[in-house]
Amino acid sequence: MSMSIVQYFGNQLSKCGYCSGTNCSKSHGMHAYSMRCQDYQDLIDRGWRRCGNYCYKLRNEDTCCPCYTIKCDALEFKLTKSNKRILRRMSRYLRDGKRESGSGNGGDGDGDADDAALHGEVNASEPQPQLPDKSPAVINVEQVASLVEAQKKPNPVAKPSPPAATGPSAPPPTLGTNKSAAPISNAPRKKAKQMRLERRQAKLGDLAPPPPTKPGSQEKGLRDFISSASESDKHKLQLRLVHVHSNEFKRTLPASYSLYRKYQISIHNDPPKDTEAYKDHLQMTPMKNEKPIDGPEMGYGSFHQQYWLDDKLIAVGVIDILPGSVSSVYFFYDPEYSFLSLGTYGSLREIDFVQTIAESVPSLKYYYMGFYIHSCPKMRYKGKLSASYLLCPETYVWLSLTDAIRSKLDENKYQRLNPDDSARDVNEFLMEHLDEVMLLLDSKTFTDYKHYLKIVGQDKERDTIVEYSRLVGKDCARRMLYVNMS
């Protein structure tokens, strides 16, 4: 089992990618050397987000554009008319191979508006946070992980045993077809309501099948629109799930980088520096491909979901698959296919992907879309997804995104959101938990704070450690290893 190892950088000040203000975006930042998938799930449930190995959390009360974590319950998601129009447009294009007149550079009327109403162009352009000037301390992650593993219950100061000789690490397990690329299944899926009914009947010992529904009485779902492909179609669209450390990722890197570069230049006029910058942003991840027996077939970790039209890569969705969610990191596409509203289409396919996983892992039913920024009109699009929830920045509970909440945010860009004034963070870090915070003093020594204090006496880093612990919550503060190397 890997362990989360982080170095906290404290308060950060940078240019805002939403309002373009200078030195007005205020956040907390930390570098993650390694991260357990459950720990990252817990962090994003406290308002954190990652870019490569850098994790950040906006200081919403002080920053220029408060950012509220937003998620969608994929099992409760309902298609809008615009969603259906975009799905039908894609089906017609695959079937006939014809670009529809009037579908322009982003789609028809409502379709185009809805493309800016999901993660499409705008979500893909969620600005990369400005990294701190300070570089993280250099540590041997594998050596530290071995040290911690060998000392499940460390002495006041734990010393490592000599590391065992090992050969080159084996590549991560490959996924699906093409040895590491897994096509997304188009098999028909039961509706969530039907699944709940069947589970309830089984629990009661009633194994009789559910009563049949009348033809046409049930509204078509997302999968009904997606699974309309036939052998006679002019074009074939295939989705492949590629882990970022797989051989398939390396094989398709030239195609994905070329697509990313084309997208950045055409859509944002911001060409990437080179392939390494692309990998730092969209391949680098602190998470390994964890495969617990009760998890999804592909496991947890960081993936690229590639959209292949015939033999051409036309879009890539960068996602993290976590114990409770699929988190959208980035999305980019070929501008030549903007008439297909690929941004919206990609969001719908990612929701469908969550629904598919939830069939075997019911707890994994949420689709995280990053941040909802109400004070920035062009970033309100995410709130148009049905069954959307915002995270309260103080109590860290989820609240349905309603018109009442929108009205509150119209009045003041920062809001607590939770209407219960007496509610508190159930994962709140208190001073009584400080002794349990684990510290890495160097690559060979780690200890808890209680024994660390006995070694150093008065600790000048105490306030910083407390701030970090409050931001990540008591559970992560106890589990993760805080790098405290001067």
Side-chain angles (χ1 to χ4, degrees), residues 165-170:
T166 58
S169 59

Side-chain angles (χ1 to χ4, degrees), residues 371-383:
F371 292 133
Y372 174 78
I373 304 96
H374 190 82
S375 60
C376 182
K378 71 176 183 179
M379 297 302 294
R380 295 182 184 180
Y381 62 93
K382 296 178 184 178

Side-chain angles (χ1 to χ4, degrees), residues 371-402:
F371 292 133
Y372 174 78
I373 304 96
H374 190 82
S375 60
C376 182
K378 71 176 183 179
M379 297 302 294
R380 295 182 184 180
Y381 62 93
K382 296 178 184 178
K384 294 190 176 183
L385 275 177
S386 65
S388 290
Y389 298 83
L390 294 188
L391 182 69
C392 172
E394 296 181 18
T395 61
Y396 303 109
V397 298
W398 294 95
L399 297 106
S400 180
L401 178 51
T402 61

Side-chain angles (χ1 to χ4, degrees), residues 129-332:
Q130 182 175 323
L131 303 182
D133 295 332
K134 180 180 179 181
S135 298
V138 177
I139 66 173
N140 186 325
V141 174
E142 294 301 323
Q143 181 179 0
V144 172
S146 297
L147 166 65
V148 175
E149 185 67 22
Q151 300 287 341
K152 295 292 187 180
K153 295 182 179 180
N155 294 323
V157 176
K159 295 290 184 178
S161 56
T166 58
S169 59
T174 55
L175 304 171
T177 60
N178 291 333
K179 297 185 178 179
S180 59
I184 306 304
S185 170
N186 282 330
R189 181 174 55 247
K190 297 177 181 178
K191 299 296 185 293
K193 184 176 181 180
Q194 181 183 357
M195 293 172 63
R196 289 196 298 270
L197 178 60
E198 290 178 355
R199 286 197 296 268
R200 189 179 302 114
Q201 289 173 330
K203 186 175 181 180
L204 295 173
D206 180 8
L207 300 180
T213 56
K214 296 179 181 180
S217 64
Q218 197 168 35
E219 185 179 359
K220 289 178 68 175
L222 182 53
R223 175 49 56 96
D224 298 320
F225 285 91
I226 292 174
S227 59
S228 59
S230 71
E231 291 298 324
S232 61
D233 286 351
K234 296 291 185 181
H235 296 293
K236 307 295 181 185
L237 180 66
Q238 183 186 35
L239 270 63
R240 302 178 191 169
L241 188 67
V242 179
H243 190 269
V244 295
H245 292 151
S246 68
N247 291 331
E248 182 67 7
F249 179 91
K250 296 176 184 176
R251 187 187 72 81
T252 58
L253 178 59
S256 63
Y257 173 69
S258 177
L259 176 63
Y260 174 73
R261 180 177 176 82
K262 183 178 182 180
Y263 171 84
Q264 289 294 111
I265 293 174
S266 177
I267 302 298
H268 304 303
N269 193 28
D270 182 25
K273 294 179 182 178
D274 50 33
T275 308
E276 291 305 311
Y278 166 72
K279 292 196 292 185
D280 285 347
H281 182 195
L282 298 177
Q283 179 195 19
M284 190 74 70
T285 176
M287 291 177 283
K288 292 185 177 180
N289 189 197
E290 300 175 9
K291 289 195 170 184
I293 57 174
D294 58 348
E297 180 182 1
M298 75 291 298
Y300 302 129
S302 302
F303 299 82
H304 282 200
Q305 199 171 45
Q306 301 177 339
Y307 295 66
W308 291 89
L309 183 65
D310 302 322
D311 295 322
K312 182 179 182 181
L313 183 65
I314 64 167
V316 175
V318 184
I319 58 176
D320 290 330
I321 302 176
L322 304 170
S325 66
V326 169
S327 174
S328 175
V329 178
Y330 210 78
F331 190 88
F332 56 96

Side-chain angles (χ1 to χ4, degrees), residues 8 429 434 437 439 449 452 459 461-470 482 484:
Y8 180 60
F429 178 87
L434 182 58
V437 176
L439 309 177
Y449 186 84
Y452 166 73
D459 178 22
E461 299 293 330
R462 176 180 176 276
D463 290 345
T464 302
I465 295 173
V466 170
E467 179 180 78
Y468 149 83
S469 300
R470 286 174 173 164
Y482 177 98
N484 191 37

Side-chain angles (χ1 to χ4, degrees), residues 77-85 114 384-386:
F77 171 74
K78 301 295 182 184
L79 290 167
T80 65
K81 291 182 179 179
S82 293
N83 296 157
K84 295 174 184 178
R85 182 161 48 247
D114 214 44
K384 294 190 176 183
L385 275 177
S386 65

